[in-house]
Amino acid sequence: MRLDRASGVILHPTSHPGPYGIGDLGPQARRWLDWLASTGCGLWQVLPLGPTGYGDSPYQSFSAFAGNPYMLSPEALVDEGLLEAGDLTAIPAFPPGHVDFGAVIPWKLGILDRAFTRFRRAGEPSLELAFGEFLRAEAAWLDDYALFMALKDAHGGGPWTDWPPPLRRRDPALLAAARAEHATAVERHAFLQFLFFRQWDALRAYAAGRGIRIVGDAPIFVAHDSADVWAHPELFHLEDDGRPTVVAGVPPDYFSETGQLWGNPLYDWPAHAATGYRWWLDRLRAIFRTVDFVRIDHFRAFADYWEIPGDARTAIEGRWVDGPGTAFFETIGAELGELPIIAEDLGELSPKVPALLAAVDLPGMKIFQFAFDATVDNDFLPHLYPEQCVAYTGTHDNNTTVGWFAAAPPEERRLALAYLDSDGHDIAGDMIARLWRSAAAWTLTPLQDLLRLGAEARMNIPGRLGGNWSWRYAAASLTPELAADVARLNEATGRCRPDRDLQAVTRHS
């Protein structure tokens, strides 16, 4: 895949402002796209869009195919006739600057229950027809997902490995009985997915109409407590009771002295190969129907991955195991054609990883914040970037640039100031400007860096349980003046969308 010269911003939909406690796919998301289009940027990168559970991490989802109903816009539900304006009058006093998941989830679920009840009682015929078409089109994953979620509800939200053995083993007769017993709950979960993709497809079309392409994000591994593992245990390394024999993570690295113990079950790659990688084909087709490009998190696991015993307490104990390599991409490419994939190839890499990237012709990533802990030949310095790469000031896993600089060791700060020829007064702006002037085809920055925010706006601290994924921006921070600054930088560095009228921006700045 060859990338054109472009720029963009990383921002998850949950970070949008608004009165409903969590960013959603409604009017504020459209205002964001209007503002982004005015900057000349052509890329909006999001985090994974799947439904979240304990810990609220979008990288630990109940499904690799489903969408997160917490992102549903209440205003759009009013427009659909599924809610009345009065349903949105008694809104709790949610904090404006962050998501209080403990408060917002029960309120949002109550609103969604009300919408589902109204649909069942007096749904518009056109909406009923569209829902029926959605059920048929997405049955391959949706049937298992909706039943899985209904069963989780019936078992107090506990993991599927704690369910009665016949349900864990998916006994056909018991599954049929459960589907009948929990029919209303199954339909409700399916309906929420219908609403999610209805709203998301509309938002994506709005983005396309403004020349914005959406970059998605997909973790290579799936959560153990997910419909994917429950429905396809033969594709993972599991014990007879469903618990993983080995799990995913990374050894000690930049982020953690004991590594990261993610706990995701590892794929049985020979089992996947025996099916022609059918599950992966289905997953990628679903992703490419949702976004224009996708960043695959921890891409290196296709080359080799850190295998940790299922009962380990940290990620220190483990071993490197070969991934499926080029055979996977040859099969996938033969079915799907050119793959619009960005490879997250960060961390300590074996020679197998760059060899795989070269063989499958996919762009990798560069992180500017990583450039100052070594010598002048550090590969993360922008003057050394290859053209076909995607470069970032930082990502959701990094501190904000202002926060990083404030906490960096003195030698890193000195190197950064010297390289940027900066006095440090606007370190985020200086790094963005230098990144944009690099050869990298794509450059992106978190919105936090455009807004010059500090560590208080960080999205995630890897390895920390709780307190992540909650940052939200203030609507007033997306100013015309900032848009004009970004537009001028895009024009100066050849990154403006071809359809962008920069004269309009500069005249009004």
Side-chain angles (χ1 to χ4, degrees):
M1 180 183 71
R2 308 297 290 176
L3 302 177
D4 55 339
R5 191 165 177 84
S7 64
V9 178
I10 307 172
L11 179 71
H12 201 45
T14 57
S15 293
H16 292 309
Y20 306 113
I22 187 170
D24 59 44
L25 309 180
Q28 290 291 349
R30 284 169 171 74
R31 294 186 187 103
W32 151 251
L33 287 168
D34 290 340
W35 183 87
L36 186 63
S38 75
T39 70
C41 289
L43 303 169
W44 174 25
Q45 182 169 326
V46 298
L47 307 184
L49 299 171
T52 56
Y54 177 76
D56 309 306
S57 170
Y59 293 88
Q60 294 287 343
S61 174
F62 292 133
S63 170
F65 296 80
N68 188 344
Y70 304 147
M71 296 183 194
L72 284 168
S73 163
E75 286 117 327
L77 298 179
V78 172
D79 293 341
E80 293 269 29
L82 296 170
L83 291 177
E84 297 178 353
D87 292 327
L88 305 182
T89 55
I91 304 170
F94 295 120
H98 72 277
V99 181
D100 182 351
F101 288 99
V104 77
I105 288 174
W107 180 84
K108 195 68 173 276
L109 290 178
I111 288 291
L112 298 178
D113 284 344
R114 196 173 304 173
F116 175 61
T117 299
R118 186 163 286 135
F119 169 76
R120 295 193 85 207
R121 288 177 179 170
E124 285 290 327
S126 61
L127 202 62
E128 292 179 352
L129 180 62
F131 181 41
E133 292 174 350
F134 178 79
L135 291 176
R136 289 187 291 273
E138 306 299 331
W141 67 268
L142 184 60
D143 288 354
D144 283 322
Y145 169 79
L147 179 58
F148 173 83
M149 295 302 293
L151 289 171
K152 279 188 73 67
D153 293 343
H155 291 87
W160 65 270
T161 48
D162 290 346
W163 299 350
L167 285 178
R168 291 202 309 259
R169 296 193 300 266
R170 293 175 56 84
D171 176 84
L174 196 59
L175 287 186
R179 194 175 295 277
E181 179 184 357
H182 303 293
T184 299
V186 169
E187 183 184 7
R188 174 183 171 276
H189 283 289
F191 183 67
L192 295 184
Q193 290 305 302
F194 164 69
L195 293 177
F196 175 87
F197 286 103
R198 188 174 175 88
Q199 290 191 14
W200 176 258
D201 289 348
L203 186 63
R204 185 183 176 197
Y206 191 90
R210 280 142 187 78
I212 305 294
R213 295 171 292 177
I214 297 179
V215 183
D217 199 332
I220 188 172
F221 300 118
V222 298
H224 177 242
D225 189 23
S226 68
D228 310 291
V229 180
W230 175 67
H232 302 283
E234 74 282 359
L235 299 179
F236 301 88
H237 289 292
L238 304 177
E239 302 280 6
D240 290 341
D241 63 0
R243 301 181 193 280
T245 59
V246 287
V247 297
V250 291
D253 62 6
Y254 172 89
F255 292 111
S256 174
E257 293 181 356
T258 59
Q260 297 177 44
L261 179 61
W262 298 333
N264 308 74
L266 292 172
Y267 297 113
D268 184 336
W269 284 116
H272 281 268
T275 70
Y277 299 104
R278 184 180 304 114
W279 181 87
W280 269 98
L281 283 165
D282 290 343
R283 183 186 185 189
L284 290 172
R285 285 192 181 101
I287 290 172
F288 297 146
R289 287 196 301 269
T290 306
V291 296
D292 300 294
F293 302 87
V294 66
R295 185 195 83 121
I296 295 187
D297 193 48
H298 200 59
F299 180 91
R300 72 158 299 166
F302 286 116
D304 54 8
Y305 54 90
W306 191 243
E307 180 186 272
I308 306 165
D311 58 356
R313 292 183 174 273
T314 74
I316 293 176
E317 181 184 356
R319 63 174 187 140
W320 289 109
V321 178
D322 286 343
T326 56
F328 173 87
F329 291 96
E330 289 169 356
T331 302
I332 296 296
E335 289 282 338
L336 302 182
E338 184 175 71
L339 301 173
I341 289 173
I342 300 162
E344 188 274 287
D345 58 340
L346 305 174
E348 296 295 329
L349 303 179
S350 73
K352 298 175 183 177
V353 181
L356 176 60
L357 278 177
V360 300
D361 192 28
L362 294 178
M365 289 175 52
K366 300 294 182 183
I367 305 296
F368 201 174
Q369 286 184 21
F370 292 168
F372 305 108
D373 61 352
T375 61
V376 292
D377 60 353
N378 188 313
D379 289 342
F380 292 108
L381 288 167
H383 71 277
L384 297 175
Y385 292 170
E387 178 186 347
Q388 288 301 304
C389 75
V390 181
Y392 301 80
T393 53
T395 71
H396 61 280
D397 278 337
N398 295 97
N399 203 338
T400 68
T401 291
V402 170
W404 161 79
F405 187 73
E411 181 62 11
E412 287 190 31
R413 291 164 56 94
R414 185 190 69 78
L415 288 171
L417 294 176
Y419 185 82
L420 296 167
D421 191 22
S422 169
D423 62 6
H425 177 72
D426 183 16
I427 191 66
D430 292 340
M431 288 186 72
I432 291 168
R434 181 62 184 88
L435 191 74
W436 257 235
R437 290 183 169 87
S438 72
W442 283 9
T443 54
L444 293 103
T445 187
L447 180 60
Q448 292 95 315
D449 284 355
L450 280 184
L451 300 179
R452 277 59 166 184
L453 298 178
E456 74 283 352
R458 184 170 183 171
M459 194 65 168
N460 179 49
I461 298 177
R464 183 180 75 176
L465 293 177
N468 294 320
W469 317 112
S470 65
W471 175 76
R472 302 173 76 196
Y473 67 92
S477 64
L478 300 184
T479 64
E481 293 77 16
L482 179 59
D485 287 344
V486 178
R488 282 189 288 267
L489 179 61
N490 277 324
E491 182 181 33
T493 57
R495 297 189 183 277
C496 260
R497 297 191 327 276
D499 63 329
R500 178 70 190 103
D501 180 8
L502 282 168
Q503 296 303 316
V505 173
T506 54
R507 281 197 302 268
H508 294 92
S509 61

